[in-house]
Amino acid sequence: MSKLRELYEYRDLIWTLSVKELKVQYRNSVLGFLWSLLNPLLMMVIFSFVFAYVFKFGIKDFPVFLLCGLLPWNFFNTALTTATGSVVGNGALIKKVYFPREILPLASVLANLFNFLLSLVVLFIFLAFYGYHFWVWLFILPFIIIVETLCVTGLALLLAGLNVYFRDIQYIVGVALMALFYATPIIYNIERVQTSYWMTHYPWLMTIYNLNPMTPIVNAYRSILYSVQPPSWSSILYSLAITAFVLVLGFVVFRRLEPAFADEV
Amino acid sequence: MSQPNSQEATVIKVDHVKKKYLLYHERHDSLKDLVLSGGRRASYEVLWALNDVSYEFKKGRTYGLIGENGCGKSTLLKAIANILRPESGTVTVNGRISALLELGAGFHLDLSGRENIFLNGAILRLPREEIEARFDDMVAFSELEEFIDMPVKSYSSGMYMRLAFAIAVNVDPDILLIDEVLAVGDVAFQRRCFRRIKEYQAAGKTIIFVSHDANAVKDLCDEAILLDHGKIVASGQPMNIVSAYFELLSKKEAARRIKSGEESADHDLSAAKQKRYGFGAATIKEYSLVNAAGEPVKSIKSGDKVQVRVKIDFNDVIPNPVVGMTIHSATGLDVYGTNTSYNNTPISVKRAGDTIQAEFTWDAWLREGNYSISLGIVDLTDGTVTPADRWVDAITFDVAAGREMLGLIDLRADVAVTENG
């Protein structure tokens, strides 16, 4: 609890470091922060070409369907990638200045959250263009965003802390995120997995598949925006439970590892 | 300078703090190494950077930490700043700390000077409103008005330091920790640092700083702390502690020489008294401060011609003997010092049984007050000073008031005024 109060006292620094991360990200590039929007759009074009036209997935309005999952995933992906290296990357600072070390992964998450929120605006434009009534259940969306952000925060603390001791973590995270991308219903519909031969014959495979915390989160985004339906409350409850667990685990592990950071980075 | 007073509030309490470093023979930083070594970490040696250190720092006082490289002074500063966590013991701090362990901590080269002011300010815990309020002052102080919106990577190192310093002097903590920051920059820069530190002192801040500069410690500190091998070996009056430091250095030098067989071990080093040290190749037998008539004096008037006489017996060969004296003010400042080498008065090789007398004659154009004189006979071979006998504060004397002035030395300025009409 005292840690939370301390983090609150340091809110200026969290804010300044998040802003710094955003500013530095696209400094020296001509299009600047527009890349935050262009990047998912270009990904959308590529995936749409491959899966809607080459493989003929037969999903209605595939670009919109894809973006509803891809944008939350990109937030998860980039936040974890940058946060994992955040403590090690700021080693010089850690050796010379005191501040709650949690600030470093937190600032990475916040900066990427900002990019994500910005990209949602583009998604809304797309949805409106395709004639989706995405505003019907929109009031639930902030709640989903908060759940995802907290889940990302927990994982970010865990990975950033462990990476100080084992630099392999950042490489493992890269590969694991790629695997998780395909294990999350982003480019395909979850029903396709649920009705597949393997999943119906071996239900425990489905259990493993469902452990992925991003699955219910991506599904919730997609229900609200694409299907224009309230999200499945049972799966939201499940992701809440996972988020709480991950968040506590992240904070506790980070706190246990943090005292020796200045010696190890 | 204020005397220690037990009634002053303790702002930092360092209580039996131990901090160790593991010096790995090889590092296991990856999972592969960990797995291959069967879960054990690599073999290592333990180095105690802080070994059971306890100290109470009082409010409003200035402390200097001195000691050799690796003695633990920076580690102590980092433990107080909460950057390092000790293995055992506690550090209790009452008040807001700013640690200036590095100027420009967190500067990002791609960001402009303006952006870095806000970034570094936030890192030093300056509230945003305060940075905004002082922004123009900072820019003016750093003399970077034209460059403030250019990325810091285009700055020269001098510009970089000026900007970093302009931000650093604006921190407003209760406790200020400074690590060798004074050592960087040119003379003008250092003078600004000193002036700023004096302002902090006047404002009643508690200051702890690490320095290699014995004069800075003597000039700025109320109290000095000497660390050696992670332990506090002495603390108290800066002047005494600085001489204890030099004594420690020369003992170590002697021990090293004995070990390497350069010097016979029959000089009893432990006999070295406080304030007097050396290897004993020569001994200061007699010394005195005399007036123009050759009579020993304790009190003089400003401007009196006086002479310091030093008689030295040699017990061993000294290839290049140098005799010196240094006058100190009551606050420990070196007012003036000279020696036979500086004055181009070479002394030939001396052997056991030889005796010399050195005389330093000077006009004591000093401000009124108490002064002391340290004497020394050293060997200066190949540019290395090896003290044979050094006597700190051997002579004390006081100077009666001359004409009114500021400072320590009367430079006897001629003052002329031309008035119209």
Side-chain angles (χ1 to χ4, degrees):
Chain A
M1 261 319 164
S2 64
K3 197 79 205 175
L4 288 182
R5 193 177 319 127
E6 198 187 11
L7 285 174
Y8 179 73
E9 280 170 20
Y10 273 89
R11 61 192 180 281
D12 270 5
L13 185 57
I14 300 179
W15 179 253
T16 310
L17 287 178
S18 312
V19 172
K20 178 202 105 178
E21 202 153 314
L22 287 171
K23 279 181 176 166
V24 171
Q25 193 174 11
Y26 298 116
R27 185 66 43 121
N28 302 327
S29 64
V30 178
L31 294 177
F33 85 100
L34 279 178
W35 278 112
S36 296
L37 310 176
L38 268 178
N39 188 48
L41 287 181
L42 292 174
M43 277 173 86
M44 183 199 75
V45 170
I46 296 166
F47 281 123
S48 299
F49 176 74
V50 174
F51 295 106
Y53 300 101
V54 179
F55 288 109
K56 305 222 187 311
F57 268 20
I59 293 171
K60 179 172 162 273
D61 298 332
F62 188 77
V64 184
F65 171 88
L66 178 74
L67 273 185
C68 288
L70 189 62
L71 295 183
W73 170 262
N74 274 353
F75 168 39
F76 184 83
N77 185 16
T78 53
L80 286 188
T81 308
T82 50
T84 301
S86 63
V87 174
V88 172
N90 284 293
L93 205 50
I94 282 179
K95 281 178 191 289
K96 297 289 182 186
V97 192
Y98 173 76
F99 53 85
R101 310 313 189 193
E102 286 86 353
I103 285 181
L104 294 170
L106 282 182
S108 294
V109 172
L110 270 185
N112 284 294
L113 174 64
F114 178 81
N115 275 339
F116 171 50
L117 294 179
L118 213 64
S119 67
L120 276 184
V121 177
V122 177
L123 175 59
F124 293 162
I125 295 170
F126 260 82
L127 286 164
F129 180 76
Y130 276 86
Y132 283 81
H133 295 190
F134 63 95
W135 51 84
V136 179
W137 295 98
L138 200 62
F139 65 95
I140 305 175
L141 199 69
F143 176 71
I144 307 295
I145 294 173
I146 289 169
V147 172
E148 183 183 359
T149 306
L150 292 178
C151 182
V152 169
T153 303
L155 286 171
L157 287 167
L158 186 70
L159 295 172
L162 288 174
N163 190 46
V164 176
Y165 294 87
F166 301 106
R167 306 291 156 92
D168 311 56
I169 295 285
Q170 61 203 55
Y171 306 111
I172 295 172
V173 165
V175 177
L177 281 171
M178 194 171 73
L180 210 57
F181 173 77
Y182 291 103
T184 308
I186 298 164
I187 46 175
Y188 54 85
N189 207 320
I190 188 157
E191 279 107 53
R192 209 183 155 97
V193 176
Q194 284 161 342
T195 55
S196 70
Y197 171 85
W198 286 98
M199 294 295 179
T200 45
H201 284 75
Y202 303 95
W204 57 271
L205 272 177
M206 199 61 212
T207 314
I208 293 179
Y209 181 86
N210 279 330
L211 278 177
N212 174 6
M214 276 309 280
T215 301
I217 288 174
V218 163
N219 280 336
Y221 280 103
R222 197 166 272 153
S223 300
I224 295 168
L225 300 171
Y226 178 79
S227 315
V228 196
Q229 278 168 9
S232 143
W233 291 109
S234 63
S235 70
I236 287 206
L237 223 59
Y238 167 74
S239 57
L240 257 183
I242 289 227
T243 295
F245 172 74
V246 167
L247 197 59
V248 171
L249 182 75
F251 264 103
V252 170
V253 169
F254 196 89
R255 248 196 123 163
R256 286 287 296 274
L257 299 176
E258 172 252 356
F261 278 179
D263 299 330
E264 296 279 347
V265 289
Chain B
M1 284 179 209
S2 55
Q3 287 300 305
N5 181 350
S6 56
Q7 277 153 20
E8 282 174 283
T10 300
V11 286
I12 301 168
K13 189 173 179 196
V14 176
D15 196 18
H16 297 289
V17 163
K18 287 188 170 194
K19 174 76 199 170
K20 70 177 172 196
Y21 283 108
L22 306 181
L23 301 177
Y24 288 97
H25 294 134
E26 60 187 293
R27 293 229 43 171
H28 286 180
D29 250 357
S30 67
L31 286 172
K32 186 192 93 190
D33 289 338
L34 189 74
V35 171
L36 290 183
S37 63
R40 283 174 294 109
R41 282 211 153 187
S43 59
Y44 54 78
E45 283 170 57
V46 176
L47 175 85
W48 288 99
L50 292 176
N51 197 348
D52 204 20
V53 169
S54 296
Y55 208 78
E56 291 192 11
F57 296 89
K58 305 283 185 193
K59 185 172 167 42
R61 292 172 66 79
T62 302
Y63 296 85
L65 301 180
I66 53 175
E68 288 177 288
N69 283 331
C71 70
K73 52 194 194 304
S74 292
T75 308
L76 179 58
L77 215 56
K78 285 183 176 180
I80 292 171
N82 201 12
I83 293 168
L84 294 174
R85 285 333 127 66
E87 261 73 43
S88 66
T90 53
V91 177
T92 322
V93 176
N94 285 313
R96 210 173 75 142
I97 285 192
S98 276
L100 301 180
L101 304 191
E102 185 177 74
L103 284 176
F107 267 18
H108 198 289
L109 294 180
D110 279 335
L111 296 178
S112 69
R114 180 190 301 277
E115 289 163 329
N116 271 308
I117 286 181
F118 283 93
L119 180 60
N120 186 241
I123 285 168
L124 295 175
R125 298 211 68 191
L126 268 170
R128 197 177 172 83
E129 311 83 67
E130 212 138 300
I131 304 175
E132 273 160 11
R134 299 183 189 187
F135 184 83
D136 291 338
D137 284 349
M138 292 186 198
V139 177
F141 192 95
S142 63
E143 299 161 12
L144 290 171
E145 286 90 345
E146 297 159 55
F147 309 101
I148 201 65
D149 287 310
M150 281 163 62
V152 165
K153 66 179 169 195
S154 65
Y155 285 17
S156 70
S157 55
M159 291 159 77
Y160 185 95
M161 291 310 293
R162 287 210 304 274
L163 182 66
F165 186 66
I167 306 165
V169 296
N170 273 288
V171 297
D172 188 23
D174 307 315
I175 302 157
L176 188 65
L177 310 178
I178 310 171
D179 190 4
E180 305 279 2
V181 174
L182 301 174
V184 299
D186 55 15
V187 178
F189 181 83
Q190 289 192 14
R191 222 178 33 231
R192 275 171 165 183
C193 284
F194 276 86
R195 201 177 304 149
R196 186 64 187 139
I197 286 175
K198 300 240 169 186
E199 284 172 28
Y200 279 122
Q201 288 177 324
K205 312 277 186 203
T206 309
I207 304 171
I208 305 175
F209 76 92
V210 163
S211 184
H212 281 122
D213 182 353
N215 276 324
V217 171
K218 285 199 273 188
D219 191 30
L220 290 171
C221 297
D222 298 308
E223 215 167 296
I225 299 163
L226 173 59
L227 284 133
D228 187 39
H229 288 113
K231 290 187 179 208
I232 294 181
V233 292
S235 66
Q237 276 285 327
M239 198 157 63
N240 299 339
I241 302 307
V242 167
S243 37
Y245 173 45
F246 288 138
E247 193 178 329
L248 182 81
L249 287 182
S250 69
K251 270 187 194 170
K252 285 197 172 169
E253 173 70 12
R256 193 188 61 75
R257 283 179 166 236
I258 288 168
K259 211 173 162 188
S260 60
E262 289 170 41
E263 189 128 354
S264 60
D266 53 7
H267 300 301
D268 187 5
L269 291 164
S270 63
K273 290 189 212 105
Q274 177 91 23
K275 299 190 160 199
R276 190 172 176 182
Y277 59 93
F279 308 112
T283 314
I284 297 175
K285 218 54 195 172
E286 281 172 33
Y287 56 83
S288 56
L289 178 73
V290 300
N291 61 16
E295 300 154 345
V297 283
K298 277 295 230 180
S299 302
I300 58 171
K301 245 180 35 260
S302 184
D304 280 0
K305 189 174 273 301
V306 290
Q307 191 177 64
V308 171
R309 291 179 179 167
V310 192
K311 213 177 228 173
I312 293 154
D313 287 358
F314 289 85
N315 315 314
D316 205 342
V317 180
I318 294 191
N320 184 18
V322 173
V323 185
M325 62 153 240
T326 307
I327 306 166
H328 315 284
S329 73
T331 55
L333 201 69
D334 293 344
V335 177
Y336 174 72
T338 189
N339 59 45
T340 52
S341 167
Y342 292 163
N343 261 325
N344 291 320
T345 319
I347 305 170
S348 57
V349 181
K350 289 287 168 287
R351 295 180 178 80
D354 289 350
T355 303
I356 59 166
Q357 173 159 315
E359 287 158 4
F360 299 87
T361 312
W362 39 284
D363 297 327
W365 287 109
L366 296 166
R367 183 212 181 104
E368 65 174 306
N370 296 312
Y371 294 86
S372 64
I373 301 175
S374 299
L375 303 170
I377 162 79
V378 302
D379 176 35
L380 180 67
T381 304
D382 304 330
T384 314
V385 175
T386 314
D389 191 9
R390 256 192 191 151
W391 207 323
V392 179
D393 298 337
I395 299 169
T396 55
F397 66 100
D398 60 81
V399 177
R403 59 176 178 175
E404 282 188 76
M405 55 170 264
L406 294 172
L408 282 172
I409 296 179
D410 188 353
L411 296 175
R412 295 185 296 140
D414 284 323
V415 183
V417 178
T418 312
E419 292 190 58
N420 292 326

